Amino acid sequence: MTVPSLRPAAPSLAPFPDSDYPEHPYPGARPDCSFVHLGRTGYPLRPDSTAPSGWRVGTGTAGEPCLNTWLAERGSDPLGARYPVLAYGSNVCPEKITWLRSRLGLTGPAVVLRAECTGVAAAWSAGHRPRDGQRPAVLMAAPGVVEQHAVWFATAEQRRVLDQCEGRGNRYRLVRLNDDAARIRLDDGTEPGPVLAYTAATAGMTPLLVDGRPVRCTELDQHGAVNLAGTPAAADGLSCTEITGEP
């Protein structure tokens, strides 16, 4: 009799606390994976084409439920009913997500899928963040540049909270990135439909130019960026359409 060989079970992805990814200094620390966040805890997500949602939740126990099943059990919208919103600054940080819950009333699971972004980049803004004086990131066109960011798949209520956080209409505007603006590819290899993003609403929030050029966030950390001297760029160069009202 031939005894079938047994494959070792794939290690389960363990949940992680906010404390593993502190918010300060801006933009905070971000997990090296896609995740869903709830109750000061992040649950890693891994792509799986056999799951209806395309993703499975690492609960740290035997079995990894489909993301849509996990969301439904918590009374939350499935992946396909959410808005894809590019996250390129602090909104990828789990501790910042908890700040959104405690200060701005964010509710429900926050789905944050890691993404490879081509053609856009996060640059240091000419402005400063009102609540703590740190220098925030702003999106700019960057032909040929590839950066790792994330896409929030936000419910309608969560997207309105992001409006408050980003100072929509004042510091940032909500736009839909045009097809020629960027290529955004998720961890599972798929490219979401038209992606929303928060971009500079005023000249004071456009990329900061130092010696005539913007400074990407990958080039300098917050400690070096906060006291930079320069001038605001005239524009961010993005091909996008501003959204009025609800998307």
Side-chain angles (χ1 to χ4, degrees):
M1 181 178 67
T2 302
V3 178
S5 60
L6 298 177
R7 292 184 179 179
S12 58
L13 300 174
F16 51 82
D18 282 357
S19 57
D20 285 355
Y21 299 96
E23 179 189 0
H24 296 288
Y26 179 99
R30 58 176 65 175
D32 190 24
C33 65
S34 298
F35 64 98
V36 58
H37 183 276
L38 185 64
R40 298 180 181 271
T41 301
Y43 299 87
L45 298 173
R46 68 173 181 86
D48 185 345
S49 60
T50 68
S53 66
W55 299 86
R56 294 202 177 273
V57 182
T59 60
T61 60
E64 295 177 346
C66 170
L67 174 60
N68 281 349
T69 300
W70 192 91
L71 292 171
E73 289 172 349
R74 288 152 183 81
S76 194
D77 292 346
L79 192 63
R82 294 168 174 248
Y83 294 97
V85 184
L86 183 63
Y88 55 88
S90 63
N91 291 332
V92 191
C93 173
E95 196 170 74
K96 166 63 181 300
I97 298 174
T98 290
W99 182 91
L100 292 172
R101 298 187 190 283
S102 63
R103 297 298 183 90
L104 298 182
L106 182 81
T107 61
V111 178
V112 185
L113 303 185
R114 193 173 56 171
E116 180 183 86
C117 303
T118 303
V120 293
W124 292 116
S125 169
H128 289 80
R129 197 162 69 166
R131 68 182 173 98
D132 58 13
Q134 295 190 85
R135 190 181 297 279
V138 69
L139 196 66
M140 70 173 190
V145 170
V146 180
E147 290 188 349
Q148 288 286 335
H149 294 296
V151 175
W152 260 62
F153 279 79
T155 65
E157 178 274 333
Q158 289 174 343
R159 196 207 52 73
R160 286 189 285 269
V161 169
L162 292 176
D163 277 357
Q164 295 179 60
C165 177
E166 304 302 337
R168 182 182 176 188
N170 181 18
R171 294 180 293 119
Y172 290 85
R173 59 185 183 140
L174 181 65
V175 306
R176 181 173 289 107
L177 295 176
N178 296 337
D179 290 342
D180 61 344
R183 184 175 185 181
I184 298 172
R185 179 175 293 176
L186 304 177
D187 268 351
D188 64 352
T190 63
E191 298 181 14
V195 172
L196 306 178
Y198 290 91
T199 64
T202 65
M205 289 301 294
T206 55
L208 179 72
L209 300 182
V210 178
D211 295 330
R213 60 176 292 274
V215 181
R216 289 169 54 198
C217 297
T218 55
E219 299 174 316
L220 191 67
D221 65 13
Q222 179 66 211
H223 295 296
V226 68
N227 293 318
L228 284 174
T231 58
D236 53 30
L238 293 168
S239 175
C240 61
T241 303
E242 185 171 2
I243 295 170
T244 301
E246 293 293 310

